[in-house]
Amino acid sequence: MTVSPDPQTVPGGVSSTAFDGSRVRVLLMLDVHDGAQQQFLDAYERMRHRVAAVPGHLSDQLCQSLENPTQWLLTSEWESAPPFLAWVNSEQHLDMVEPLADCVRDTRSLRYTVLRETTGTDTAPAPGSVALQSAPRTGDNVVRHALTFTVTPGSESKVAEILSGYASPQPVVNDTTRLLRTSLFLHGNRVVRAVEVRGDLQDALRHVSRQPEVRAVEQAIDPYLEQERDLTDPKSARVFFTRAALPAVHHTASGRPEGSAATRCALFLPALPGRGEELARLLARQDETVTAPAHGPVLAATVFHRDDIVVRLVDVDGDPEDAPGPVLALADAASAAEAGRLLDAAALGLDGPPTDERAVRRLLAHARMQPLTDRRAAAS
C-alpha cells in the first residue's frame, strides 16, 4: 500500500476536495419492483460493458440481498472523483441507465474516497494504482450542492421576482438531516441555487421537493425555462436534476466566525471548451492560500463544476470589491495569467484575460452574480 503526501489543509479550518487523486467507491442501493428481478438483471447485462468503457471506470459488482431479493447493491470503483462526477451528471449516463429505471422503485447513492486498503499478505498492489491519502479531509458535517439551469432571454426580471419572494420550506427533514442554507443567484439568464445540508443530501432534496412552498415556486418558473420539464413525472424530473446538477468539487473554510459585515457572493466563471476542470482545479489550489491568512477577507469558498461551467461561492469579510484578487482566488499575477488561458472572457463580455489589477476588478464585476435570496434556517 502506497500513501501520498498530506493534502493541504487550513489550520483550524475545513478543507475538502474532489481533486486529491483518491480512488472513489460508489454504492448504489436499489429497491427493485416485485417480480422484476430478471428484467433488472437482463438490463444490467446489456449496459455493464458500456459502463466499463467509460474513462476512469475501474470495476463494478452487482449484488443481491440474501434476505430480501428485491434489495440490490451496485458498487463501482473509479480512478478519481472528476471522471465519475463528469459521467454521472452526463447525458451519456442518462442514456445508459434508462433501461434500469422501469425496474426500480427507489435508489440511494453513497460516494466515498478510498482512504485505506488491506489485502492479503501475498497480494502486491496493482500496477499503476493510485496512491492513498495519508490523512483524511477535514469536514464540518455539511454537504454542499448546487443546481443550475437557464431561463428564456427576456424573462430574467420575472424569474428573479419569483425566486426572491417564495416562502422558506420547513428546514427539519428528520432526526439526522436538516436544511441549513439556500442561496440563489442569477447571471444573465442562468440561475444557480446552492444548498447546504447537515446530514443526508438526498433525503433533504426529496424533502424540499415535497414542500408546498417549493412546489408552488417551481410551477411558477416552469413557463420560463429554456428546457421543458415536468417534475410530477419521475423520468422528466430525473432528466432535469441530472442536467442541472452542479457538484461541489472543493470547499475551504478559514475557521473564523462570520461577523456582521460578512457578504456571500457567487461568481460565474465560464471556461473555454474542455477547460472547465482545469479552471476548477486552479481555483481549488488558490483557495488554500486565500483562506489561510488570520485576518484575510475570505472566510470560506466553495467551487462548483460541471462541463465548462464553474461557479465560485465566497463568504467575504467585508465588501468583495475591496479584495477582488482573493475573492476570485486570483491573488497573484501567475494565477491570473493561468486563469486567462482557461476563462471564456468573451462569454463574460470581457475583451481579454485578467492581466493586471484593473482587469481583475473588471472580471469580478462581470462574473459576479445577482443575489436573489440567501436564507438560513434558525440556529444554523
Side-chain angles (χ1 to χ4, degrees), residues 59-373:
S59 65
D60 61 57
Q61 288 183 320
L62 180 64
C63 312
Q64 187 178 20
S65 170
L66 281 172
E67 293 84 11
N68 184 351
T70 69
Q71 301 295 316
W72 295 62
L73 175 67
L74 178 59
T75 68
S76 61
E77 191 162 323
W78 297 76
E79 289 179 356
S80 62
F84 167 72
L85 292 173
W87 177 71
V88 79
N89 295 310
S90 69
E91 299 284 342
Q92 182 188 22
H93 173 257
L94 284 171
D95 176 61
M96 283 190 193
V97 303
E98 180 60 30
L100 301 178
D102 293 337
C103 310
V104 175
R105 188 163 31 222
D106 194 17
T107 63
R108 184 181 185 86
S109 178
L110 301 173
R111 304 160 184 186
Y112 298 88
T113 55
V114 180
L115 204 65
R116 291 292 181 269
E117 188 171 49
T118 303
T119 59
T121 54
D122 296 330
T123 304
S129 61
V130 179
L132 302 178
Q133 299 298 328
S134 62
R137 297 184 299 278
T138 54
D140 53 359
N141 193 27
V142 176
V143 183
R144 295 168 175 86
H145 188 66
L147 297 172
T148 185
F149 52 87
T150 55
V151 297
T152 53
S155 69
E156 296 89 349
S157 60
K158 181 61 179 178
V159 170
E161 178 185 350
I162 295 170
L163 294 177
S164 300
Y166 72 96
S168 298
Q170 168 58 243
V172 177
V173 178
N174 52 42
D175 290 343
T176 59
T177 299
R178 180 182 178 87
L179 183 66
L180 299 180
R181 191 170 184 176
T182 301
S183 306
L184 280 113
F185 299 90
L186 184 69
H187 190 282
N189 68 329
R190 177 169 295 281
V191 175
V192 171
R193 174 189 284 135
V195 297
E196 297 178 7
V197 172
R198 175 163 291 125
D200 187 275
L201 176 64
Q202 293 179 66
D203 283 351
L205 295 180
R206 288 172 180 171
H207 164 80
V208 169
S209 69
R210 291 192 292 263
Q211 301 302 300
E213 302 90 346
V214 174
R215 288 194 174 202
V217 75
E218 296 292 355
Q219 291 172 359
I221 65 171
D222 276 347
Y224 306 108
L225 298 182
E226 282 202 311
Q227 291 189 320
E228 292 184 4
R229 68 180 184 184
D230 178 4
L231 295 183
T232 64
D233 173 56
K235 180 178 178 180
S236 178
R238 184 167 58 250
V239 170
F240 169 76
F241 284 112
T242 298
R243 289 173 173 167
L246 188 62
V249 294
H250 186 84
H251 175 75
T252 308
S254 66
R256 291 180 282 128
E258 289 188 7
S260 58
T263 302
R264 167 161 285 194
C265 67
L267 307 170
F268 176 59
L269 299 167
L272 292 169
R275 311 303 292 274
E277 184 180 328
E278 292 178 75
L279 179 58
R281 285 180 179 271
L282 168 64
L283 300 181
R285 290 196 306 270
Q286 293 299 311
D287 267 338
E288 305 293 353
T289 301
V290 299
T291 56
H295 303 289
V298 177
L299 300 171
T302 306
V303 179
F304 300 91
H305 164 244
R306 71 168 291 153
D307 302 328
D308 300 323
I309 299 172
V310 178
V311 171
R312 176 172 162 80
L313 187 65
V314 196
D315 292 324
V316 186
D317 186 11
D319 189 339
E321 293 184 6
D322 292 339
V327 170
L328 284 162
L330 305 176
D332 55 61
S335 60
E338 187 174 354
R341 294 191 292 269
L342 305 174
L343 271 169
D344 188 346
L348 288 172
L350 296 169
D351 55 7
T355 53
D356 53 34
E357 183 178 352
R358 185 177 179 182
V360 170
R361 290 187 177 277
R362 285 201 304 271
L363 173 58
L364 176 65
H366 283 251
R368 194 169 177 182
M369 305 187 77
Q370 174 188 348
L372 302 181
T373 184

Side-chain angles (χ1 to χ4, degrees), residues 27-39:
L27 288 79
L28 180 62
M29 293 178 283
L30 307 111
D31 183 11
V32 177
H33 286 298
D34 299 346
Q37 285 80 14
Q38 187 61 51
Q39 179 186 352

